[in-house]
Amino acid sequence: MKDAVYVLGGEQTDFQRNWTKEGKTFMSLFREAVQDGLEKVGLTPDEIKKLNKQNRIGVFVGNFDAEQYAVQGHLGAFLTEVDPCFFGVPGARYEAACASGSVALDAAQTKLRSKDYDVAIVVGMEIMKTVSSSVGGDFLGTAAYYEKEAKGVQFPFPKLFGKLADVLLERYKLDEKRYMGALAEISRINYANAKRNPKAQTRSWFMNNEHANARGGEFNMAVGGRLAITDCSQVTDGAALVVLANKNYAEEFAKKKGTKLSAYPKIKGWGHRVAPITFEAKVAESKGDKWVLPWTRQTVKDAFDRSGLNTKDIDVFETHDCFTSSEYAAISAFGITQPGKEHEAIEDGVIDFHGKKPINPSGGLIGAGHPVGASGVRMMLDIYKQVTGTAGDYQVEGAKNGLMLNIGGSATTNYVFVVGK
């Protein structure tokens, strides 16, 4: 990792908001996220104009499905609608289902490492509450193999991750009551963490272990196999922005701010792997392997290899809890436990906010919200906050290194970033 990439900061929108009910469009969401984010970082329109004249800046937009949710494509060009300072700035949209934000981050860091640009503005966004939940569920089905796994299926992704829950239970021969209790505790933890996060979608919602365990009734309906509503992430309108820079510009920026380069964390490692696209093929291919999702584990290992760090060095995790079963599988992928022993870390409080390896202090996708194309960028922003000590009420004490896992589809596209000072 010779050419370091630094995170200069960023901002996110309030994930509790329903922009359609406010009478606002995807462009309103986009504009507010960019303006607030750049103001938070301190990157001015005049500076952007100067960098653009020297061809030192690019824009990277992560988005999954604006064509269906907002009837709009070509999002990489829409920063020109935010401010004239973006006229002429190279920009493009990047897509990989729920990992779209991370693909944009990866494209950005690649351009910085290769010294094509000095600064990258990365925006992740999704507006999802423009349609009913059933229509939105069908849209999300295109993140799987639509013809084989989603066409004609109501809410296909809860069913796919319900199958993951089944496979984990069966392959490791777990006690069902204990396992389902562990999934419920994942839900409880994420909702509890979200209450500390002023931008979280569920910060005013109620959730306890009893509710999360009461699956199948009127107030916690089953949605996919063993999984119920409390096991699911949220349908969310939201956007997030981060600014990345190479070492030369980060030093220049720090000097202007009257601080030191060490004030900004850097991307220490990254991983990117793609698994077979259908869930059935994943299960067949991983039969006999220690991990049900070996590609996710390999992505984590790749990031550790590039960073020179390992599990013991990571103080805080942000993971892709699209469902409780995906967070459960992530615990062993991170190396916190061996596969099949994840419930022990949950029961012992290891992943709780005050635990040894806290996961999702932000509330994660279950608590904070899951605007699909924004989630990877939001995770990067939250890891940045943690390692700079700026996470406020959800700050993990003493966090120096953080790791984020962002997945697309049924753990098909896997991205991991390790960030620290």
Side-chain angles (χ1 to χ4, degrees):
M1 306 297 286
K2 294 177 183 176
D3 301 315
V5 171
Y6 290 81
V7 187
L8 302 187
E11 186 58 282
Q12 70 167 86
T13 60
D14 183 346
F15 284 6
Q16 195 176 66
R17 292 171 66 181
N18 182 323
W19 292 71
T20 302
K21 277 191 176 179
E22 292 179 22
K24 296 177 179 176
T25 68
F26 82 96
M27 193 59 232
S28 311
L29 172 66
F30 205 105
R31 183 177 290 110
E32 187 170 312
V34 173
Q35 290 176 338
D36 287 355
L38 294 179
E39 183 179 344
K40 186 82 171 182
V41 174
L43 190 64
T44 65
D46 285 344
E47 179 70 357
I48 291 168
K49 285 180 183 177
K50 186 185 89 172
L51 289 165
N52 187 37
K53 282 182 180 177
Q54 299 166 347
N55 200 18
R56 296 170 63 196
I57 188 169
V59 169
F60 303 79
V61 179
N63 173 265
F64 166 53
D65 202 5
E67 285 85 353
Q68 294 192 97
Y69 284 112
V71 198
Q72 183 62 61
H74 204 180
L75 294 194
F78 270 84
L79 264 77
T80 58
E81 289 290 301
V82 174
D83 193 290
C85 73
F86 288 105
F87 290 2
V89 175
R93 177 264 196 100
Y94 297 81
E95 186 276 320
C98 304
S100 295
S102 286
V103 175
L105 287 166
D106 190 21
Q109 72 156 355
T110 301
K111 287 286 191 181
L112 296 175
R113 291 190 196 284
S114 66
K115 297 183 171 59
D116 288 332
Y117 304 140
D118 289 348
V119 181
I121 297 170
V122 185
V123 187
M125 65 89 64
E126 207 79 52
I127 190 162
M128 304 179 70
K129 294 182 178 180
T130 55
V131 296
S132 68
S133 58
S134 59
V135 172
D138 191 61
F139 291 172
L140 289 169
T142 61
Y145 195 147
Y146 185 79
E147 286 291 325
K148 294 183 177 181
E149 297 181 301
K151 189 174 182 179
V153 178
Q154 189 174 34
F155 305 118
F157 267 95
K159 292 176 174 62
L160 287 169
F161 280 90
K163 289 178 181 178
L164 174 61
D166 295 344
V167 173
L168 290 167
L169 177 64
E170 293 158 10
R171 190 169 292 186
Y172 299 121
K173 297 178 172 56
L174 303 174
D175 175 79
E176 183 172 359
K177 185 176 180 181
R178 189 178 184 186
Y179 170 67
M180 295 306 294
L183 295 189
E185 181 65 3
I186 286 173
S187 179
R188 185 203 66 77
I189 290 170
N190 283 307
Y191 276 98
N193 288 349
K195 287 188 176 295
R196 302 182 184 91
N197 183 351
K199 296 290 180 72
Q201 184 170 353
T202 71
R203 61 186 183 267
S204 61
W205 297 18
F206 171 81
M207 178 60 59
N208 64 11
N209 195 271
E210 183 183 7
H211 185 187
N213 267 305
R215 297 179 179 90
E218 181 184 354
F219 301 107
N220 193 14
M221 292 181 290
V223 292
R226 290 177 167 87
L227 301 186
I229 288 173
T230 54
D231 294 295
C232 302
S233 58
Q234 308 305 319
V235 174
T236 313
D237 291 345
L241 176 146
V242 296
V243 177
L244 306 180
N246 61 20
K247 185 177 180 181
N248 288 341
Y249 186 81
E251 285 178 329
E252 186 183 317
F253 189 79
K255 191 174 180 181
K256 285 181 185 175
K257 293 288 180 183
T259 187
K260 295 180 179 178
L261 179 64
S262 58
Y264 300 105
K266 61 183 177 181
I267 297 174
K268 293 184 173 182
W270 61 277
H272 175 204
R273 297 279 176 164
V274 173
I277 192 162
T278 68
F279 184 73
E280 184 180 348
K282 291 181 182 72
V283 174
E285 186 67 22
S286 69
K287 193 172 182 180
D289 196 286
K290 199 173 179 182
W291 280 268
V292 170
L293 300 172
W295 309 274
T296 307
R297 171 59 181 166
Q298 187 61 52
T299 310
V300 174
K301 287 177 68 178
D302 291 344
F304 281 152
D305 288 345
R306 288 185 172 110
S307 67
L309 304 177
N310 57 39
T311 309
K312 68 179 176 59
D313 300 307
I314 305 300
D315 304 302
V316 60
F317 297 81
E318 281 289 329
T319 197
H320 197 100
D321 56 318
C322 49
F323 298 90
T324 53
S325 55
S326 63
E327 181 168 335
Y328 188 95
I331 293 169
S332 59
F334 295 150
I336 295 173
T337 71
Q338 288 295 308
K341 302 291 185 182
E342 294 90 344
H343 52 278
E344 294 177 3
I346 299 165
E347 293 165 353
D348 294 344
V350 173
I351 70 165
D352 207 349
F353 183 73
H354 297 291
K356 293 179 180 178
K357 298 293 179 185
I359 296 179
N360 288 347
S362 67
L365 280 58
I366 287 173
H370 183 29
V372 172
S375 285
V377 183
R378 193 277 304 162
M379 288 182 195
M380 176 63 75
L381 176 61
D382 271 317
I383 291 294
Y384 161 86
K385 289 179 180 178
Q386 291 293 341
V387 300
T388 56
T390 57
D393 290 342
Y394 62 103
Q395 177 68 51
V396 172
E397 189 176 347
K400 294 178 181 177
N401 291 302
L403 180 149
M404 57 165 279
L405 166 65
N406 185 203
I407 64 175
S410 54
T412 304
T413 295
N414 297 268
Y415 261 107
V416 169
F417 293 96
V418 175
V419 178
K421 285 191 175 179

